[in-house]
Amino acid sequence: MSFSEADEALGLTRFEEFDAGFDAAYVHSGDLRVDGDWTGGDLRTAVGVGEYEQLGELVMFVVDGDLTVDGLLDLDEGTLECLGLLVTGTLTAQIIDVNATMLFVFGGADIARLVRFTTTDGTLSIAGRTRCPLVIYDEGDLNVTSAGHILSRRSEGPVAPYEAPSSDSDFDFSGWGWPTVTLTRTEVPAALDASLYDDENWVDAATALEFARSGRPLLRADYPAPS
């Protein structure tokens, strides 16, 4: 169906600051559980798009309910173009990896190990609380309120906490969270396993993903949680 039809039925643009220009939507009604990893390629296959076939328009895949992925959610794997995934309920996964794609969640997220958002392009927006030990990001469009640490790889530190605008501000958008950076390259040696970063404290996101997939902790056991 068209995205406008899905929006009218489900209120997909219920939060402000949502104008990605989607053309079409594929909707799964009800909760969905995926055993193992789930990729953008799996989404394409589910709607009958061939491996080398273009979607031809900007498509939003919608789960109208809760989504549980028992492994890695990687929207960029197996994709040929930008696409979006929107979850109207809660997202639960072991790991999230988002690069040039877009992920929107309306009901908060429980991510057991890692959110990797090391991109300058994609979008990751989660309304409500995100529970995850570590979010690693660069300069993409990140909108989350996390109960764990958020590492900005490009920040030398320290970073002032985000101050939400007043309620009468044109830029006070309800719904989406706002990231508060708790770790910069200054804090990396004290916070992360030594094999995750180089002598300039640059964290290797690929190695971090390998750690997370194998169940190895990324944060040092004695490093405190955000206050």
Side-chain angles (χ1 to χ4, degrees):
M1 69 177 71
S2 70
F3 181 80
S4 60
E5 291 173 327
D7 183 26
E8 183 176 356
L10 302 175
L12 302 183
T13 57
R14 69 187 70 168
F15 295 138
E16 296 180 65
E17 202 185 32
F18 189 111
D19 184 18
F22 288 95
D23 301 305
Y26 293 97
V27 178
H28 172 88
S29 298
D31 297 343
L32 179 63
R33 187 180 192 95
V34 178
D35 294 326
D37 298 343
W38 207 36
T39 69
D42 293 329
L43 291 171
R44 289 164 46 87
T45 300
V47 298
V49 177
E51 181 178 2
Y52 302 106
E53 183 181 355
Q54 295 279 347
L55 288 168
E57 52 191 353
L58 187 56
V59 172
M60 175 72 84
F61 295 88
V62 179
V63 176
D64 187 23
D66 296 336
L67 172 62
T68 301
V69 179
D70 289 334
L72 166 68
L73 174 60
D74 183 353
L75 294 181
D76 293 86
E77 177 67 27
T79 62
L80 300 178
E81 68 275 90
C82 184
L83 54 80
L85 172 64
L86 189 152
V87 180
T88 64
T90 299
L91 170 62
T92 303
Q94 294 296 306
I95 306 165
I96 292 177
D97 190 12
V98 176
N99 190 355
T101 48
M102 293 174 275
L103 175 61
F104 304 91
V105 183
F106 287 173
D110 286 291
I111 312 302
R113 299 176 186 169
L114 175 68
V115 173
R116 186 175 80 158
F117 187 54
T118 50
T119 177
T120 58
D121 191 7
T123 297
L124 175 56
S125 296
I126 301 175
R129 179 69 66 177
T130 298
R131 287 162 290 274
C132 181
L134 182 62
V135 177
I136 301 176
Y137 91 106
D138 287 343
E139 296 176 345
D141 184 13
L142 177 68
N143 305 288
V144 301
T145 301
S146 180
H149 283 288
I150 296 181
L151 166 64
S152 173
R153 293 198 306 174
R154 297 182 181 275
S155 297
E156 299 290 345
V159 175
Y162 174 83
E163 294 185 6
S166 63
S167 58
D168 59 352
S169 168
D170 291 339
F171 299 99
D172 184 20
F173 300 111
S174 62
W176 306 125
W178 299 99
T180 297
V181 172
T182 63
L183 298 175
T184 68
R185 288 164 69 179
T186 300
E187 293 86 28
V188 159
L192 272 64
D193 186 284
S195 59
L196 290 171
Y197 58 89
D198 62 19
D199 56 4
E200 295 183 350
N201 297 348
W202 179 260
V203 175
D204 187 311
T207 303
L209 183 61
E210 292 175 6
F211 267 50
R213 286 185 70 86
S214 65
R216 296 177 63 183
L218 289 88
L219 290 163
R220 294 183 181 274
D222 59 349
Y223 197 77
S227 57

